[in-house]
Amino acid sequence: MNNEFKFTINSIAFDENYQPSDSTRITTNFANLARGESRQENLRNALTMINNQFNSLANWDNPKADRYSVELEIISVDMEIDHEGNGQSFPTIEILKTNIVDHKTKKRIEGIVGNNFSSYVRDYDFSVLLLEHNKDKPGFSIPENFGDLHGKLFKCFVNSDAYKQNFTKLPVICLSVSDNKTYHQTENHHPILGVEYLPNESSLTEQYFKKMGLKVRYFMPPNSVAPLAFYFFGDLLNDYSNLELISTISTMETFQKIYRPEIYNANSAAGKCYKPDLKNRDHSLTQIVYDREERSQLAIKQGKLAEENFIKPYQSILEQWSANYAL
């Protein structure tokens, strides 16, 4: 039985003309903006916010704050399971790739791959498996081996020939902080990433991403009002250039301002001891329309799709592969 996994990478521009594909998780940041009557205005406004934030942070030799613009690519990763000679593919991962256009030098500079992270299998783990495990139970607990398969699939992709042929550096994923943790400001300060924060305890998301091989650090960039969570391999502060880091900050903080304005578009900045509050009323809204309630409901549907089309049909193959997979 040949149970090798093969990855196929496709790319599409994320611009004001972007239309989500049928295989895209419609709850993911970029796809959610590209739906409904306001889709083109949403996309145009989001891209303007990204460019403005980029130029605000990359302010050296940039007197008019218009030297740079960010071009985004949606990277879709399909995994093919070659089961008894019958290749079946499943949309495994979607991430964002940033590219920086320097209008002064007329150069296009490669940015960072990762940024936003979208995964049907993660939807299954959190919105199906975790919910079913805790249904009608008095206390919350985590299923045994929770996140193992997803973590190994991600590491397999990052170490694949397909990844190495398309990307020169390892990914950085940028997420929101957790609203049930408290973050304490440290004395460490980076000129681009800003001031570092430390959480009072590890979160389930941290543990889940650790199984993907990723470490996490929390930084609040200059002019920001809340820390961002940066998940990475290697050395975040030294493996990436200033412009690469700025491309991730400007892109992902824009998404967070849209989706979590209570935290990232708050009217006052995080202090030395910071607890994010999704009920914070002292915040501003962006001029971008989206349906956050629908977004939560769809995560369950997407998790069930993964269960029906990937987890259950290939359960024995996936379990056998996971048991034997090691880097």
Side-chain angles (χ1 to χ4, degrees):
M1 183 183 295
N2 182 7
N3 293 334
E4 291 300 316
F5 297 160
K6 298 176 183 177
F7 296 97
T8 303
I9 296 174
N10 295 297
S11 170
I12 185 173
F14 177 70
D15 55 26
E16 63 182 62
N17 299 311
Y18 164 67
Q19 298 272 7
S21 72
D22 292 338
S23 62
T24 292
R25 289 170 65 251
I26 51 179
T27 61
T28 201
N29 287 332
F30 40 82
N32 190 266
L33 293 182
R35 302 172 67 216
E37 295 179 1
S38 304
R39 57 169 303 280
Q40 196 163 49
E41 187 177 0
N42 279 348
L43 293 168
R44 192 178 294 127
N45 287 342
L47 293 168
T48 298
M49 288 172 65
I50 291 169
N51 289 334
N52 288 343
Q53 173 76 331
F54 190 102
N55 284 289
S56 174
L57 290 172
N59 53 21
W60 58 93
D61 291 337
N62 190 5
K64 294 183 180 179
D66 62 356
R67 177 171 174 172
Y68 302 100
S69 60
V70 180
E71 293 181 352
L72 297 172
E73 296 175 75
I74 299 169
I75 307 297
S76 300
V77 183
D78 289 344
M79 190 181 86
E80 183 179 294
I81 300 178
D82 188 6
H83 176 44
E84 296 180 342
N86 299 318
Q88 298 290 325
S89 64
F90 183 77
T92 314
I93 295 166
E94 275 191 320
I95 47 183
L96 279 179
K97 169 91 182 320
T98 61
N99 297 288
I100 305 142
V101 178
D102 185 337
H103 298 287
K104 181 178 180 180
T105 64
K106 310 299 182 187
K107 290 183 178 179
R108 191 169 184 267
I109 305 161
E110 188 174 1
I112 288 178
V113 66
N115 300 287
N116 190 86
F117 179 74
S118 174
S119 164
Y120 277 111
V121 177
R122 184 174 66 162
D123 278 343
Y124 165 74
D125 281 342
F126 279 91
S127 300
V128 177
L129 180 62
L130 191 61
L131 290 181
E132 289 179 354
H133 175 78
N134 285 284
K135 187 178 181 180
D136 300 327
K137 291 186 178 178
F140 180 81
S141 65
I142 308 299
E144 187 178 1
N145 302 322
F146 183 72
D148 283 8
L149 173 62
H150 183 270
K152 290 177 180 179
L153 289 173
F154 181 77
K155 287 190 282 188
C156 184
F157 165 61
V158 171
N159 285 278
S160 69
D161 290 338
Y163 186 93
K164 294 171 183 176
Q165 289 165 6
N166 283 273
F167 311 113
T168 57
K169 292 188 178 182
L170 292 169
V172 175
I173 296 166
C174 184
L175 304 180
S176 168
V177 286
S178 171
D179 62 322
N180 58 11
K181 301 289 180 287
T182 301
Y183 299 83
H184 296 275
Q185 193 178 109
T186 72
E187 296 300 317
N188 192 34
H189 189 277
H190 185 271
I192 300 301
L193 291 167
V195 63
E196 185 167 19
Y197 280 75
L198 293 176
N200 62 326
E201 60 181 342
S202 175
S203 68
L204 180 55
T205 299
E206 278 186 29
Q207 296 162 27
Y208 193 80
F209 275 73
K210 186 177 182 180
K211 292 190 175 184
M212 297 162 61
L214 296 163
K215 297 174 282 188
V216 64
R217 294 179 76 170
Y218 299 89
F219 286 92
M220 184 167 73
N223 305 321
S224 299
V225 297
L228 291 161
F230 296 87
Y231 288 87
F232 60 95
F233 298 94
D235 185 344
L236 177 68
L237 276 61
N238 291 302
D239 290 347
Y240 304 92
S241 71
N242 286 343
L243 291 182
E244 287 172 338
L245 292 173
I246 291 172
S247 72
T248 286
I249 294 167
S250 59
T251 299
M252 297 313 300
E253 188 173 61
T254 292
F255 284 140
Q256 298 299 352
K257 284 181 178 179
I258 296 166
Y259 291 116
R260 287 196 158 186
E262 299 90 344
I263 296 175
Y264 290 97
N265 220 26
N267 294 327
S268 57
K272 292 187 176 182
C273 179
Y274 176 61
K275 190 175 190 315
D277 182 7
L278 283 172
K279 296 181 180 179
N280 171 34
R281 298 177 66 87
D282 185 25
H283 67 274
S284 302
L285 296 176
T286 63
Q287 299 298 309
I288 295 173
V289 180
Y290 79 103
D291 189 333
R292 186 156 62 184
E293 184 177 345
E294 179 197 44
R295 198 163 175 253
S296 299
Q297 294 168 350
L298 287 171
I300 298 174
K301 293 182 180 178
Q302 291 167 170
K304 290 188 178 296
L305 184 147
E307 181 181 38
E308 294 166 5
N309 293 279
F310 184 68
I311 301 295
K312 283 186 175 179
Y314 302 107
Q315 185 170 5
S316 60
I317 295 172
L318 293 169
E319 287 176 352
Q320 180 183 355
W321 175 83
S322 183
N324 294 304
Y325 178 79
L327 289 178

